[in-house]
Amino acid sequence: MGPQHGLPGFIVSLLLAIVGETQAAHEPLKPQKVQFQSRNFHNVLHWQPGKVLAGNASLYFVQYKMYGQRQWKNKQGCWGIQGLFCDLTNETSDIQEPYYARVRTASAGVFSGWSVTRRFTSWWEKSFIRG
Protein backbone atom coordinates (compact mmCIF):
# COMPACT_ATOMS: atom_id res chain seq x y z
CA MET A 1 0.00 0.00 0.00
CA GLY A 2 1.08 3.59 -0.68
CA PRO A 3 1.22 6.49 1.74
CA GLN A 4 -2.10 7.35 3.34
CA HIS A 5 -1.64 11.13 3.20
CA GLY A 6 -1.05 11.46 -0.56
CA LEU A 7 -0.03 14.86 -1.89
CA PRO A 8 0.02 16.76 1.46
CA GLY A 9 2.35 14.14 2.96
CA PHE A 10 4.62 14.35 -0.09
CA ILE A 11 4.79 18.16 0.14
CA VAL A 12 5.69 18.04 3.83
CA SER A 13 8.41 15.45 3.14
CA LEU A 14 9.77 17.57 0.29
CA LEU A 15 9.86 20.73 2.44
CA LEU A 16 11.66 18.89 5.24
CA ALA A 17 14.24 17.60 2.77
CA ILE A 18 14.81 21.11 1.36
CA VAL A 19 15.19 22.61 4.84
CA GLY A 20 17.64 19.83 5.77
CA GLU A 21 19.72 20.47 2.65
CA THR A 22 19.74 24.23 3.27
CA GLN A 23 20.86 23.77 6.85
CA ALA A 24 23.55 21.32 5.75
CA ALA A 25 24.72 23.78 3.08
CA HIS A 26 25.13 26.53 5.72
CA GLU A 27 26.92 24.23 8.16
CA PRO A 28 30.42 25.04 6.75
CA LEU A 29 29.74 28.70 7.59
CA LYS A 30 29.43 27.99 11.33
CA PRO A 31 32.25 29.38 13.46
CA GLN A 32 34.56 26.71 14.88
CA LYS A 33 36.26 26.26 18.26
CA VAL A 34 34.12 28.85 20.04
CA GLN A 35 35.48 29.24 23.55
CA PHE A 36 36.14 31.67 26.37
CA GLN A 37 39.65 32.59 27.38
CA SER A 38 39.95 34.13 30.83
CA ARG A 39 43.08 35.96 32.00
CA ASN A 40 42.94 37.80 35.32
CA PHE A 41 39.11 37.70 35.09
CA HIS A 42 39.23 39.38 31.68
CA ASN A 43 36.86 37.13 29.67
CA VAL A 44 37.19 37.12 25.91
CA LEU A 45 35.28 34.90 23.52
CA HIS A 46 37.40 33.52 20.66
CA TRP A 47 36.46 31.53 17.56
CA GLN A 48 37.77 30.45 14.20
CA PRO A 49 36.03 30.95 10.86
CA GLY A 50 33.92 28.20 9.37
CA LYS A 51 35.56 25.64 7.13
CA VAL A 52 34.90 27.53 3.90
CA LEU A 53 35.47 31.07 5.12
CA ALA A 54 39.15 31.45 5.90
CA GLY A 55 40.20 34.86 4.57
CA ASN A 56 36.63 35.77 3.65
CA ALA A 57 35.05 39.11 4.60
CA SER A 58 32.41 37.52 6.79
CA LEU A 59 30.54 39.22 9.61
CA TYR A 60 30.08 37.71 13.07
CA PHE A 61 27.28 38.16 15.59
CA VAL A 62 27.72 37.41 19.30
CA GLN A 63 25.13 36.73 21.99
CA TYR A 64 25.48 35.72 25.64
CA LYS A 65 23.38 34.67 28.62
CA MET A 66 23.72 33.57 32.20
CA TYR A 67 23.01 29.91 32.90
CA GLY A 68 19.28 29.43 33.52
CA GLN A 69 18.16 32.49 31.54
CA ARG A 70 15.93 31.87 28.56
CA GLN A 71 16.73 34.92 26.48
CA TRP A 72 20.01 35.48 24.70
CA LYS A 73 21.32 39.07 24.69
CA ASN A 74 23.08 40.68 21.76
CA LYS A 75 26.57 41.97 22.51
CA GLN A 76 26.29 45.40 20.91
CA GLY A 77 30.02 45.92 20.35
CA CYS A 78 30.26 42.50 18.70
CA TRP A 79 27.28 42.63 16.38
CA GLY A 80 28.27 42.47 12.71
CA ILE A 81 32.03 42.50 13.32
CA GLN A 82 34.82 41.07 11.20
CA GLY A 83 37.15 40.12 14.07
CA LEU A 84 37.47 36.64 15.59
CA PHE A 85 37.06 37.63 19.24
CA CYS A 86 34.71 39.54 21.51
CA ASP A 87 35.37 40.95 24.98
CA LEU A 88 32.57 39.78 27.29
CA THR A 89 34.23 40.81 30.56
CA ASN A 90 31.47 43.24 31.60
CA GLU A 91 28.74 40.79 30.61
CA THR A 92 30.32 37.96 32.63
CA SER A 93 31.28 40.00 35.67
CA ASP A 94 29.79 37.69 38.32
CA ILE A 95 32.78 35.37 38.65
CA GLN A 96 30.83 32.55 40.32
CA GLU A 97 27.91 32.46 37.87
CA PRO A 98 28.03 30.23 34.80
CA TYR A 99 27.55 31.79 31.37
CA TYR A 100 27.15 30.77 27.75
CA ALA A 101 28.01 32.65 24.59
CA ARG A 102 27.29 31.93 20.97
CA VAL A 103 28.39 33.27 17.63
CA ARG A 104 27.13 32.99 14.07
CA THR A 105 28.45 34.03 10.68
CA ALA A 106 26.90 36.00 7.84
CA SER A 107 28.44 35.81 4.40
CA ALA A 108 26.88 37.00 1.15
CA GLY A 109 23.50 37.33 2.88
CA VAL A 110 23.55 33.78 4.24
CA PHE A 111 23.58 33.13 8.00
CA SER A 112 25.10 30.11 9.68
CA GLY A 113 23.61 28.38 12.65
CA TRP A 114 24.82 29.35 16.11
CA SER A 115 27.98 27.84 17.60
CA VAL A 116 27.61 27.72 21.39
CA THR A 117 30.32 27.59 24.04
CA ARG A 118 30.32 25.07 26.81
CA ARG A 119 29.27 26.44 30.19
CA PHE A 120 31.80 29.01 31.40
CA THR A 121 32.45 30.15 34.98
CA SER A 122 35.37 32.57 35.19
CA TRP A 123 36.22 31.63 38.79
CA TRP A 124 36.96 28.05 37.69
CA GLU A 125 38.56 28.83 34.35
CA LYS A 126 40.74 31.81 35.17
CA SER A 127 44.45 32.01 34.75
CA PHE A 128 46.66 34.68 36.20
CA ILE A 129 49.46 36.40 34.38
CA ARG A 130 52.04 38.33 36.33
CA GLY A 131 53.30 41.39 34.66
Side-chain angles (χ1 to χ4, degrees):
M1 290 196 162
Q4 295 179 348
H5 300 291
L7 185 59
F10 171 75
I11 292 172
V12 169
S13 297
L14 181 62
L15 288 173
L16 290 174
I18 290 169
V19 168
E21 285 181 22
T22 302
Q23 289 175 345
H26 298 168
E27 196 66 22
L29 294 174
K30 277 180 83 169
Q32 307 291 309
K33 299 182 180 179
V34 179
Q35 60 188 349
F36 278 97
Q37 292 180 8
S38 182
R39 305 266 191 282
N40 300 338
F41 297 108
H42 187 83
N43 306 322
V44 179
L45 183 69
H46 291 266
W47 61 89
Q48 294 180 1
K51 295 176 184 170
V52 297
L53 295 175
N56 194 328
S58 299
L59 298 178
Y60 298 96
F61 301 85
V62 175
Q63 293 182 328
Y64 64 94
K65 70 176 183 173
M66 187 182 291
Y67 177 76
Q69 292 179 336
R70 288 187 169 181
Q71 295 292 325
W72 290 90
K73 298 176 184 176
N74 297 343
K75 170 58 175 163
Q76 295 305 318
C78 300
W79 199 251
I81 62 171
Q82 291 183 327
L84 298 174
F85 64 92
C86 175
D87 188 341
L88 290 171
T89 300
N90 292 333
E91 293 74 17
T92 57
S93 61
D94 188 333
I95 63 173
Q96 294 184 346
E97 286 294 330
Y99 295 90
Y100 291 96
R102 66 184 187 176
V103 61
R104 73 187 306 186
T105 306
S107 180
V110 177
F111 285 86
S112 72
W114 292 100
S115 294
V116 182
T117 63
R118 61 184 178 82
R119 188 164 54 179
F120 169 78
T121 306
S122 64
W123 177 255
W124 295 110
E125 305 197 34
K126 68 193 176 302
S127 63
F128 291 106
I129 300 174
R130 294 181 186 185

